[in-house]
Amino acid sequence: MAWTLLRPYSFTSNTLEWAEGLRAGDDTVRAAFQAAGVAAVDPYDIAAVAAVALTSSGHEGRAYTLSGPEALVPAEQVRILGWVLRRELRFEASSDEEARAGMEARMPVEYVDAFFRFFVDGAADESVVQPAVGDVTGRPPRTFAPVCAGAHADSFRP
């Protein structure tokens, strides 16, 4: 059986976890891993690569690492989101202890441990922009501003 493997970086849509607080009027975004730059990928770009791989030849036996077009740290994502929302947002880094406690409250500890291995211990580097989205789809991956902040702007508004 033919196969194609897609290995996406973190998703741009992960920032939707900030939506509840921003909708409630809190202008401070608290997030973990303040120094971890990530070239987060838009889930729509993942779907576009999958669609091409499923409907055309030449992708059999290939593994594609999927990223967005730019590596951003959380403070940069918050700045862009604030610009799109026309709101003065502030970024506040969560300590590793706060981040771990919050994550363990909503996901299995094995996932939390993996995130800490990746973003604190440096076991994975998602800051390197990968060419696969453009190579497979023929168009560049979508940037953070129109994707998360723009397309989902209403999710963040009060």
Side-chain angles (χ1 to χ4, degrees), residues 77-117:
Q77 292 176 323
V78 170
R79 180 187 52 75
I80 291 168
L81 181 57
W83 176 78
V84 169
L85 297 175
R86 292 180 171 84
R87 261 172 92 178
E88 190 167 329
L89 301 179
R90 293 175 302 284
F91 172 75
E92 185 178 292
S94 298
S95 70
D96 287 348
E97 295 77 20
E98 292 168 327
R100 180 172 286 282
M103 293 169 78
E104 286 179 357
R106 46 183 216 276
M107 65 181 76
V109 70
E110 294 84 4
Y111 285 17
V112 177
D113 290 342
F115 280 116
F116 274 81
R117 278 195 309 277

Side-chain angles (χ1 to χ4, degrees), residues 2-136:
W3 58 269
T4 304
L5 179 63
L6 305 184
R7 294 185 200 140
Y9 280 3
S10 297
F11 303 164
T12 55
S13 57
N14 290 347
T15 58
L16 288 169
E17 73 180 71
W18 305 336
E20 184 177 346
L22 293 173
R23 273 195 315 271
D26 188 355
D27 289 332
T28 300
V29 173
R30 291 162 195 81
F33 315 126
Q34 69 175 334
V38 174
V41 62
D42 176 13
Y44 289 102
D45 285 336
I46 300 168
V49 171
V52 171
L54 289 168
T55 61
S56 63
S57 62
H59 306 283
E60 301 83 1
R62 303 281 311 267
Y64 296 114
T65 300
L66 308 177
S67 79
E70 59 194 342
L72 301 170
V73 295
E76 292 169 318
Q77 292 176 323
V78 170
R79 180 187 52 75
I80 291 168
L81 181 57
W83 176 78
V84 169
L85 297 175
R86 292 180 171 84
R87 261 172 92 178
E88 190 167 329
L89 301 179
R90 293 175 302 284
F91 172 75
E92 185 178 292
S94 298
S95 70
D96 287 348
E97 295 77 20
E98 292 168 327
R100 180 172 286 282
M103 293 169 78
E104 286 179 357
R106 46 183 216 276
M107 65 181 76
V109 70
E110 294 84 4
Y111 285 17
V112 177
D113 290 342
F115 280 116
F116 274 81
R117 278 195 309 277
F118 296 164
F119 298 123
V120 174
D121 301 339
D125 182 2
E126 292 191 358
S127 68
V128 179
V129 173
Q130 301 293 327
V133 171
D135 291 349
V136 174

